[in-house]
Amino acid sequence: KKVLCDLDSKIGRCRRSDRTRMYTPMEDKKLDARWQARGLAVPPVAVNLSARQFQQKDLEAVVRRIVSGTGVDPTLVQFEITESLIMNDPEGAARILHGLRDSGVKLSVDDFGTGYSSLAYLKRFPIDALKIDREFIRDIASDADDAAITRAIISLGHSLGP
């Protein structure tokens, strides 16, 4: 299961999310040790980045500080950025995404299929996953068009691969 949270760049931690009422493994390094001592795997953490956070000048440095300060495995952290956000300034977004990727975290495009992605730009982004918008998934079993679009997005995602 993914644990969702909001990034709090001022304190370098994830805060309790109102939507999930859960704390994340990034919140307390001791939590990792307690889970590992019990033989439990530390779950991946999905962090939705807002437009304000994504445009923060020192975002990559903040992420590196959080990752090194908490000791969390960066491959367990996935930042989710909406398609429309990265397409606002594709060149700038590509620089930021590459900087984030260099810190070891995973990246995904959230709500894919609702924006106006340019495939030429999409192939330049270091994306690990495309999260298909629920508009296409909701009626996938009964709507042939939704099923076809979903298959096409999955195929696109696999072909872009890491």
Side-chain angles (χ1 to χ4, degrees), residues 29-70:
K29 185 176 165 90
K30 295 175 187 172
L31 184 59
D32 288 354
R34 289 195 306 257
W35 286 6
Q36 290 171 351
R38 292 181 182 161
L40 301 172
V42 178
V45 176
V47 179
N48 292 304
L49 286 178
S50 70
R52 184 176 53 88
Q53 290 166 328
F54 191 70
Q55 294 164 354
Q56 184 177 327
K57 291 186 190 298
D58 62 345
L59 176 62
E60 295 117 278
V62 168
V63 169
R64 284 187 185 93
R65 267 196 320 273
I66 292 170
V67 168
S68 69
T70 60

Side-chain angles (χ1 to χ4, degrees), residues 75-114:
T75 63
L76 294 176
V77 179
Q78 178 171 299
F79 285 102
E80 298 180 357
I81 302 102
T82 63
E83 179 182 10
S84 58
L85 178 60
I86 63 175
M87 293 313 297
N88 251 355
D89 174 14
E91 295 295 333
R95 281 190 301 277
I96 294 168
L97 292 173
H98 281 285
L100 290 172
R101 169 53 72 75
D102 289 345
S103 69
V105 298
K106 304 286 185 189
L107 301 167
S108 67
V109 177
D110 201 9
D111 300 331
F112 188 79
T114 60

Side-chain angles (χ1 to χ4, degrees), residues 91-143:
E91 295 295 333
R95 281 190 301 277
I96 294 168
L97 292 173
H98 281 285
L100 290 172
R101 169 53 72 75
D102 289 345
S103 69
V105 298
K106 304 286 185 189
L107 301 167
S108 67
V109 177
D110 201 9
D111 300 331
F112 188 79
T114 60
Y116 301 99
S117 284
S118 160
L119 298 180
Y121 280 116
L122 189 60
K123 71 179 186 177
R124 295 183 199 163
F125 298 142
I127 299 298
D128 296 292
L130 298 174
K131 294 183 64 185
I132 303 169
D133 187 75
R134 74 177 55 138
E135 181 68 29
F136 302 114
I137 303 299
R138 183 177 318 129
D139 298 322
I140 196 169
S142 59
D143 186 321

